[in-house]
Amino acid sequence: MNLRELGLNVIPCRDNSKLPAIPWKEYQNVKYTGDLATNNAVICGITSGNLIVVDLDDPTLADLVFKKFEQLKAETLIVATGKKGYHVYFRTTGVLPKTMRLSLPDGRHIDIQSQGAYVVAPDSIHPDTQRRYEVISSTTKILESSIDSLLGHLQKLGFQGINSGLPSINEIISGITEGNRNNAAFKYCAHLIGRLNLPEEMVWAEIQRWNSYLSKPLPHDEILAVFKSAKIRVQRPEESAVEYNPEKL
């Protein structure tokens, strides 16, 4: 299967390993076009078309997380890992979430692999079991889906690690009137910074795009003030070493 034809950013791994054979961080932002190997990896996020992969190490979680897992095999690319779990591929129709681990009270967990992460590609060999990562779906298409609906579903199931202190994206973008534009803009910035932990330049670009769709957009100075206020008031998991300032562009 030619993963690059699916729009995926694929890099080579070391022989009999999950570790990249090349310095891979730069390819979070640009496509790798060099040679591949026996084992390869797919970079999640922007360079694979807003790719997220739901990583299920515990196969007993498949039907819980997706309700009808067997039916999903006809809708999106699913890979059985070389051990016992699954990689379920999606492309998010909204803003990319951060990579996160979500856990149930009984200790079982799933990982949402997104920007800044990679997964071992199908047809690679697991270094411990020597079993192949195998496509088990009847399609190689990658389903487009809302990450917020998935996270909302997981939260109802009791998964912990989702920042529920911020409103859902549907709440943020629906029913905005002229009188609550500033409040809605602040909530959206808070959502992008605090919940999704996006880079500041990406937040600034997205909040401007969002503002342009309002029936009466906020003036540039007002939307900039909202952006700055959200940066100050919302705490990131990790602060950037370099502060982004859109006024210097």
Side-chain angles (χ1 to χ4, degrees):
M1 180 174 62
N2 190 329
L3 297 173
R4 287 173 170 170
E5 289 182 356
L6 301 179
L8 299 176
N9 191 10
V10 189
I11 58 171
C13 291
R14 300 176 189 173
D15 291 342
N16 197 37
S17 175
K18 297 180 180 181
L19 298 176
I22 59 172
W24 73 279
K25 293 289 187 180
E26 64 185 282
Y27 297 109
Q28 294 177 32
N29 300 304
V30 296
K31 290 272 192 182
Y32 173 77
T33 58
D35 293 337
L36 297 177
T38 301
N39 278 13
N40 299 295
V42 175
I43 296 181
C44 302
I46 295 170
T47 58
S48 285
N50 275 14
L51 178 74
I52 60 171
V53 176
V54 180
D55 188 350
L56 302 166
D57 281 340
D58 186 337
T60 66
L61 288 174
D63 284 317
L64 177 66
V65 170
F66 295 111
K67 297 181 182 178
K68 297 180 180 179
F69 186 64
E70 288 301 316
Q71 180 177 316
L72 190 63
K73 290 178 182 179
E75 299 175 3
T76 197
L77 177 63
I78 300 177
V79 176
T81 67
K83 212 163 189 180
K84 59 181 179 179
Y86 303 108
H87 288 163
V88 185
Y89 285 62
F90 293 100
R91 283 193 169 103
T92 178
T93 54
V95 178
L96 277 165
K98 62 183 179 181
T99 292
M100 64 185 90
R101 170 159 291 188
L102 309 178
S103 302
L104 287 170
D106 64 10
R108 291 181 296 169
H109 69 269
I110 68 172
D111 293 309
I112 307 292
Q113 308 291 7
S114 183
Q115 187 71 19
Y118 66 84
V119 294
V120 178
D123 294 330
S124 300
I125 304 299
H126 195 284
D128 298 328
T129 66
Q130 298 303 303
R131 288 170 53 191
R132 190 176 299 276
Y133 285 70
E134 180 183 1
V135 175
I136 59 170
S137 54
S138 59
T139 182
T140 57
K141 293 182 180 179
I142 299 174
L143 183 68
E144 291 190 351
S145 182
S146 165
I147 184 60
D148 283 282
S149 62
L150 175 61
L151 292 178
H153 168 64
L154 294 174
Q155 193 169 9
K156 289 178 182 177
L157 292 174
F159 280 91
Q160 300 168 355
I162 303 170
N163 185 348
S164 58
L166 294 167
S168 71
I169 191 63
N170 289 333
E171 291 178 85
I172 293 169
I173 64 176
S174 63
I176 298 171
T177 62
E178 185 175 342
N180 69 359
R181 291 174 301 167
N182 285 72
N183 185 48
F186 180 86
K187 287 181 178 180
Y188 193 22
C189 275
H191 174 86
L192 299 175
I193 296 170
R195 180 175 175 184
L196 302 187
N197 195 28
L198 294 180
E200 290 179 2
E201 61 269 26
M202 191 179 294
V203 175
W204 174 238
E206 171 59 19
I207 198 65
Q208 290 181 98
R209 185 200 66 81
W210 172 88
N211 185 51
S212 71
Y213 282 101
L214 296 179
S215 58
K216 188 174 181 181
L218 289 165
H220 174 81
D221 289 348
E222 286 189 44
I223 200 70
L224 178 59
V226 168
F227 171 73
K228 289 181 175 179
S229 178
K231 281 203 306 176
I232 293 169
R233 293 181 58 184
V234 179
Q235 295 296 314
R236 288 183 180 274
E238 296 180 3
E239 291 295 335
S240 301
V242 179
E243 183 178 1
Y244 175 71
N245 185 352
E247 291 181 310
K248 293 182 179 180
L249 293 182

